[in-house]
Amino acid sequence: MSSILISLSHVHLAYGHNPLLDDADLSIRTGERIGLIGRNGTGKSSLLKILDGRVQPDDGEVMRLGGLRVSTVEQEPEMDGDQTIFDWLCQGAEQAEDWARPARVQALLDELGLDGQSKIAGLSGGTRKRVALAQALADEPDLLLLDEPTNHLDLDAIQWLERKLQTIRCSLLLITHDRQFLDSVTTRIVELDRGQLHSFPGNFSAWQQRKAEWLAAEQQQNDRFDKLLAQEEVWIRKGIEARRTRNEGRVRRLEQLRRERQARLDTQGNVNLALSEGQRSGKLVAELKGVSHAFSDRVIVRELDFLLQRGDRIGLIGPNGVGKTTLIRILLGQLKPDAGEVRLGTNLAVAYFDQMRAQLDDEATVADTISPGSEWVEIGGQRKHIMRYLEDFLFPPARAHSPVRSLSGGERARLQLARLFARPANVLVLDEPTNDLDIETLELLESLLQEYTGTVILVSHDRAFLDNVVTQTLAWESEGNWREYVGGYVDWLAQRPSAAPNSSLSPAQAAPEKAAPAQAKPTAPKQNRLAPWEAKELDELPARITAVEEEQAALSNRLADGSLYRDNPQEVERINMQLAELETRMQALFERWETLEAKRPGA
């Protein structure tokens, strides 16, 4: 049976008047792979620091299994630039008498396609992240903590990490905004919301469904509470005659209700995104004919023909370092190619989201970054005060005059979005916009881009974001060759040549995507004859499916109580077994429904 590695009981943590953890409970068991999610600034990274011992809670108890080994990979790993990659990864092995570490390190370097003799100084962000992951994996910890591990990684490195974590022997807790990564890796989702930790079994998709049910139940409970409080407030305000017969117990209950209402925290608001296209561009945005470009002997683009028209939403896919940003500069006329012709359209107003946030001045204030020298911004023909506009991006008035250097990564990402959307643009260039954004803001940005009538050029390694936004894909294939595909990431996987060399890892270690079967299995001939008893069964199936869903929701609500994992782990295992059985039953019901529906006349 699995054992508890680390347990948090009634933990409190606050910075100033901002409570990050408020009487929070959490237990992590052997073999678990937990995804930690929550809004930016809620304290997810601080929770990781409590788990690995870098921060002590203000109150509460943290219990660890004796001899527990914990390794952490931070968002921006700190490294000694003077060392080689191999030496940095092997440091401490001799003192710890870990004679097998150099061999483990070399195996990981081979998998990741890294040269161990390269100096750490000058490494790109993606390579530094791979080195940090290699260090943590070489530690062979009991508990691995990852803070935004997919930031700066390209698609091949992300897929390698997914496969690694799916088979890893240690327990795992990770923070990420990458929804597909969460779906592929995690077995439990823990949400940090208003200082509380809520646990949900399953991956991110399962959490989305159960969270919606949980929020609906919470709203109903709050509505009942507010109704009772309103009735009691009416009673207490009755005339003198009523107060003569006042029930002191009822008065005390009203006072308690008031305290509970005061203590109940409302859910943090969402970012309010709005984007103005301004003047429409011409139908043609850009056209490349026979374009080639190289740096020394490194070919970036080779004889590319490409047409970009108004309203296109195109995604650029390729490993780090192949020249996606260079191609965008050529496409926008900012860089003259070595050969070929670039024709630009008319009335182009380009807004650029830079993944390095280089457009932000660290010394400027938040307000001056949006509207220097003015208290107003104009969005879609309407004027809005700068303070109100900043509140749309979750910046309270007190933060308006703070310097940019004081902002967190998530706040800087929101500020760059606010700056981008404060000016009309009919061409949006988004270079890794998803880094540091929480999932809620990410989904709102998706919705905005889906409704945007201008042209979008997107560089992203977030597969779900690509699928939800782009309608075309321009993918790097080899040695400066780019090829256009219809659709997003999933469509590209289905259409690309099976042997496309699209890996930044070593060829021997970069496992290909699962190939589509050479030939689809022949389908059985459809029988459009539905027996009377089958028709009756078909009519009853929706009610049976609903009953199973209700049973799943009830069990999931019980698992949402984080203290259950600490106080009664056997009950957690029993509930998870029940949920697995219900999932099997649900799958069987859906398969039976599809079978019977196919036999219905006219199907």
Side-chain angles (χ1 to χ4, degrees):
M1 191 175 79
S2 61
S3 57
I4 296 177
L5 297 178
I6 190 166
S7 178
L8 275 59
S9 179
H10 305 295
V11 165
H12 293 260
L13 180 68
Y15 290 127
H17 298 291
N18 182 28
L20 299 178
L21 297 173
D22 187 9
D23 200 35
D25 296 323
L26 175 67
S27 293
I28 302 176
R29 306 180 69 84
T30 54
E32 284 198 295
R33 300 197 300 270
I34 299 172
L36 177 62
I37 63 175
R39 299 297 298 269
N40 287 337
T42 55
K44 300 187 296 295
S45 296
S46 297
L47 177 58
L48 258 61
K49 292 176 182 178
I50 289 178
L51 291 172
D52 66 15
R54 286 178 290 166
V55 168
Q56 297 301 315
D58 300 329
D59 198 6
E61 188 174 12
V62 180
M63 294 169 287
R64 294 180 174 84
L65 192 67
L68 180 68
R69 302 191 309 275
V70 181
S71 291
T72 304
V73 177
E74 297 185 78
Q75 289 191 45
E76 302 295 337
E78 295 183 3
M79 302 178 184
D80 183 353
D82 294 332
Q83 289 186 289
T84 66
I85 294 175
F86 185 85
D87 289 344
W88 189 77
L89 292 176
C90 288
Q91 60 186 348
E94 187 172 340
Q95 293 89 332
E97 298 185 351
D98 185 1
W99 313 120
R101 186 179 181 94
R104 293 199 304 275
V105 165
Q106 189 58 55
L108 287 164
L109 292 177
D110 292 342
E111 287 186 44
L112 287 163
L114 295 172
D115 179 6
Q117 299 310 308
S118 297
K119 289 278 190 179
I120 288 176
L123 295 181
S124 67
T127 304
R128 290 174 69 90
K129 181 60 70 73
R130 285 199 242 169
V131 173
L133 289 167
Q135 183 199 36
L137 292 169
D139 288 344
E140 293 189 329
D142 303 307
L143 174 61
L144 178 60
L145 305 176
L146 304 178
D147 195 348
E148 295 289 0
T150 64
N151 278 6
H152 308 302
L153 295 185
D154 57 33
L155 287 170
D156 294 298
I158 291 171
Q159 290 163 354
W160 172 86
L161 183 59
E162 275 183 0
R163 294 190 293 270
K164 200 74 174 176
L165 297 181
Q166 285 166 352
T167 58
I168 201 167
R169 297 179 62 182
C170 67
S171 296
L172 168 70
L173 187 143
L174 65 94
I175 300 170
T176 183
H177 63 268
D178 190 321
R179 293 154 291 179
Q180 188 164 336
F181 194 83
L182 284 168
D183 268 348
S184 299
V185 171
T186 59
T187 58
R188 176 156 69 109
I189 298 293
V190 171
E191 182 186 19
L192 178 53
D193 179 24
R194 293 166 282 174
Q196 298 293 306
L197 293 167
H198 306 284
S199 181
F200 300 84
N203 59 16
F204 178 76
S205 293
W207 168 82
Q208 283 186 306
Q209 178 182 348
R210 288 164 181 155
K211 177 63 184 296
E213 297 166 352
W214 182 76
L215 283 175
E218 183 185 48
Q219 185 60 51
Q220 289 178 351
Q221 182 179 354
N222 288 342
D223 289 344
R224 288 193 295 267
F225 179 94
D226 292 342
K227 184 177 180 180
L228 175 61
L229 177 58
Q231 291 171 346
E232 295 301 288
E233 292 287 5
V234 169
W235 172 81
I236 200 69
R237 289 180 173 85
K238 284 183 179 179
I240 296 174
E241 183 178 352
R243 284 199 288 270
R244 287 182 187 145
T245 59
R246 180 181 297 170
N247 183 307
E248 292 303 322
R250 194 171 178 181
V251 172
R252 287 193 296 270
R253 183 177 69 165
L254 173 58
E255 292 172 349
Q256 178 61 27
L257 289 172
R258 286 171 171 171
R259 286 192 294 269
E260 289 179 19
R261 180 65 182 85
Q262 182 68 29
R264 194 175 82 201
L265 298 176
D266 293 325
T267 306
Q268 183 182 5
N270 285 323
V271 174
N272 182 15
L273 300 181
L275 179 60
S276 172
E277 182 186 355
Q279 185 181 13
R280 297 181 74 190
S281 69
K283 183 175 181 180
L284 171 71
V285 175
E287 184 178 17
L288 308 185
K289 289 185 177 180
V291 166
S292 296
H293 194 73
F295 293 121
S296 299
D297 58 348
R298 180 165 158 259
V299 179
I300 303 298
V301 185
R302 187 189 303 274
E303 297 181 357
L304 176 62
D305 295 327
F306 178 68
L307 178 65
L308 182 65
Q309 299 187 84
R310 182 181 65 229
D312 286 349
R313 297 199 296 271
I314 186 161
L316 269 62
I317 289 180
N320 289 338
V322 299
K324 296 187 291 294
T325 302
T326 300
L327 178 55
I328 289 174
R329 293 183 62 206
I330 292 173
L331 196 60
L332 296 178
Q334 299 172 353
L335 176 65
K336 182 177 176 57
D338 296 336
E341 179 186 352
V342 179
R343 186 160 67 101
L344 298 179
T346 57
N347 298 327
L348 299 184
V350 179
Y352 199 108
F353 185 99
D354 172 26
Q355 67 165 316
M356 302 309 294
R357 319 290 191 254
Q359 297 167 334
L360 299 180
D361 180 358
D362 282 350
E363 301 307 315
T365 66
V366 170
D368 284 343
T369 299
I370 303 301
S371 184
S374 174
E375 294 185 355
W376 301 90
V377 294
E378 188 167 322
I379 307 295
Q382 294 183 345
R383 296 182 77 211
K384 182 177 284 191
H385 195 274
I386 184 64
M387 294 301 179
R388 186 178 170 193
Y389 182 70
L390 285 172
E391 286 180 343
D392 288 343
F393 290 83
L394 305 184
F395 289 103
R399 293 288 271 165
H401 300 294
S402 300
V404 171
R405 66 172 181 273
S406 68
L407 302 183
S408 67
E411 288 174 324
R412 292 173 73 93
R414 292 204 308 272
L415 181 62
Q416 181 137 339
L417 285 176
R419 183 179 185 274
L420 189 77
F421 296 165
R423 297 161 178 81
N426 51 39
V427 179
L428 278 181
V429 181
L430 304 174
D431 191 354
E432 292 293 352
T434 65
N435 287 352
D436 301 316
L437 291 181
D438 57 51
I439 292 172
E440 290 86 349
T441 305
L442 198 57
E443 291 176 340
L444 286 169
L445 179 58
E446 283 178 353
S447 299
L448 179 72
L449 294 176
Q450 288 164 359
E451 297 171 0
Y452 177 60
T453 56
T455 305
V456 176
I457 303 172
L458 171 64
V459 177
S460 179
H461 298 133
D462 188 318
R463 294 155 291 178
F465 193 80
L466 283 166
D467 281 334
N468 292 335
V469 171
V470 306
T471 56
Q472 300 164 255
T473 296
L474 191 59
W476 179 88
E477 299 203 328
S478 66
E479 300 177 351
N481 293 306
W482 296 80
R483 181 174 173 183
E484 187 177 358
Y485 296 86
V486 175
Y489 172 79
V490 169
D491 300 295
W492 166 69
L493 284 182
Q495 298 172 61
R496 68 174 182 170
S498 59
N502 190 39
S503 176
S504 61
L505 308 181
S506 62
Q509 298 296 336
E513 293 288 321
K514 292 182 179 178
Q519 184 175 358
K521 293 182 180 179
T523 57
K526 192 182 295 181
Q527 299 178 0
N528 288 326
R529 296 180 60 186
L530 193 64
W533 63 269
E534 289 177 320
K536 183 175 183 296
E537 182 185 2
L538 181 58
D539 290 339
E540 294 173 349
L541 276 173
R544 294 171 62 188
I545 291 172
T546 299
V548 174
E549 288 177 337
E550 290 174 351
E551 195 172 349
Q552 287 177 320
L555 290 172
S556 298
N557 286 337
R558 293 188 61 192
L559 285 178
D561 181 4
S563 63
L564 186 65
Y565 289 79
R566 181 194 71 242
D567 300 336
N568 196 348
Q570 293 82 5
E571 181 67 5
V572 172
E573 292 189 4
R574 189 186 68 79
I575 293 175
N576 278 322
M577 288 178 62
Q578 283 183 275
L579 284 169
E581 292 172 1
L582 289 172
E583 189 63 34
T584 302
R585 193 191 312 172
M586 180 71 80
Q587 183 66 30
L589 288 171
F590 274 118
E591 289 175 0
R592 181 60 175 162
W593 180 83
E594 290 175 358
T595 300
L596 294 178
E597 187 67 27
K599 297 173 71 175
R600 185 195 294 273

